Amino acid sequence: APPAKWPVVPAAPSIQEKSHANMFAAPAKGEPKVESLSRATPKVEPQRTAPPSSRTLRAGAAVWSVALSPSGRWLAAGTEDRSIEIWNTATGKRQTILRGHSLGVSALCFSHDEKWLASGSADRTAKLWDLRTGAQRNVFRQGAMVTAVALSADGHWLACASSDRRVKIWNLDVDDKPEGFREKSEPRALAFSPDGWLLAVGSENGVKLWRVDARRDVQSLNRPADALTFAPNGHCLALHATAQTVKLWDTAKEREL
């Protein structure tokens, strides 16, 4: 389970005081690459934090994207002014600010163990942040504005979708080129199944389930979707289909519920 206290992430002033070169520089030659998230993945579900009935958090600029950590303790907000603000949901206080993108932050996703944060931006990059230090660890380049990001629960995979209809899947255990494919329309949402082997991709043309290791689609649903999430058992996929509709898809029986 995540620690009771945010793990040594510097408060916002200390991060802002670091130079851009030191804070966001790529790893030096010979420095180990991003450690596999899987090596730190907890074997138990994060403890849930009881949220207040209602709370308003005010960011420093227009909010483009949000992500809630698995425990519910932390909220990340990506803003138009290129910043990522991280808030403590229990206290309503802003914990820190991450800076590194050159345009607005359009997509966010916490890792299962809450030690990492993936971000996507209109600057055509996705970034992986180490929340224990506030440092940027990797940059993943897309061909257009990033519309969605997703991290697998086992820590092996990062998926990025962009407005040029491409989806790229990066293996975080090795430093190699990503695998990818192109959708018929702009992907709006991504979600990994709990075991990490299926990637759901939502667009205005429908939803496709891709087998990550084979890089091929194995199921499809003719429903537009701009938000997706798997049930903990991986057998049910919920999707936001229209303004007033949420659909449930049985991935085992390949049918709507």
Side-chain angles (χ1 to χ4, degrees):
K5 187 177 180 182
W6 185 266
V8 298
V9 176
S14 60
I15 281 186
Q16 295 173 27
E17 288 168 4
K18 292 186 178 181
S19 70
H20 186 280
N22 291 337
M23 177 67 186
F24 301 109
K29 186 177 181 180
E31 180 181 341
K33 299 296 182 182
V34 180
E35 77 172 80
S36 168
L37 305 190
S38 59
R39 288 194 285 271
T41 301
K43 296 182 179 180
V44 296
E45 290 295 318
Q47 294 179 354
R48 303 292 169 176
T49 301
S53 57
S54 177
R55 189 184 296 279
T56 300
L57 306 177
R58 300 194 181 279
V63 174
W64 280 18
S65 57
V66 294
L68 192 65
S69 69
S71 70
R73 185 176 178 85
W74 309 107
L75 175 72
T79 64
E80 185 180 29
D81 73 350
R82 305 165 291 177
S83 301
I84 302 168
E85 301 185 14
I86 299 178
W87 300 76
N88 183 316
T89 59
T91 64
K93 294 182 178 179
R94 185 169 57 193
Q95 187 71 24
T96 193
I97 301 176
L98 305 175
R99 291 192 172 94
H101 285 292
S102 59
L103 291 173
V105 181
S106 51
L108 293 167
C109 180
F110 280 93
S111 67
H112 185 77
D113 59 10
E114 303 187 356
K115 293 181 179 180
W116 303 89
L117 180 73
S119 63
S121 170
D123 66 9
R124 302 184 179 187
T125 69
K127 296 178 184 289
L128 189 65
W129 304 85
D130 187 338
L131 294 177
R132 294 162 293 186
T133 64
Q136 173 190 302
R137 296 301 300 163
N138 265 54
V139 179
F140 307 91
R141 303 198 179 279
Q142 297 285 117
M145 174 180 174
V146 178
T147 56
V149 293
L151 286 163
S152 62
D154 60 13
H156 290 303
W157 310 105
L158 168 67
C160 301
S162 50
S163 59
D164 61 359
R165 299 182 286 125
R166 290 188 180 276
V167 177
K168 293 182 180 181
I169 303 175
W170 305 80
N171 187 333
L172 298 179
D173 294 325
V174 295
D175 183 24
D176 63 356
K177 293 182 179 180
E179 298 289 343
F181 50 88
R182 187 187 288 269
E183 289 286 304
K184 292 182 179 180
S185 60
E186 178 183 308
R188 298 176 176 176
L190 299 172
F192 279 102
S193 60
D195 61 10
W197 290 114
L198 290 177
L199 175 67
V201 181
S203 71
E204 64 179 11
N205 281 355
V207 178
K208 286 186 178 180
L209 266 62
W210 291 82
R211 181 77 184 184
V212 175
D213 55 344
R215 301 296 192 273
R216 62 183 178 87
D217 60 298
V218 293
Q219 293 184 38
S220 61
L221 176 62
N222 189 25
R223 297 282 188 182
D226 55 15
L228 299 165
T229 187
F230 276 93
N233 65 8
H235 295 159
C236 181
L237 176 69
L239 56 119
H240 175 246
T242 66
Q244 297 178 329
T245 305
V246 175
K247 295 289 184 179
L248 299 178
W249 177 255
D250 187 325
T251 59
K253 298 180 179 179
E254 300 187 23
R255 63 178 177 83
E256 282 191 36
L257 297 175

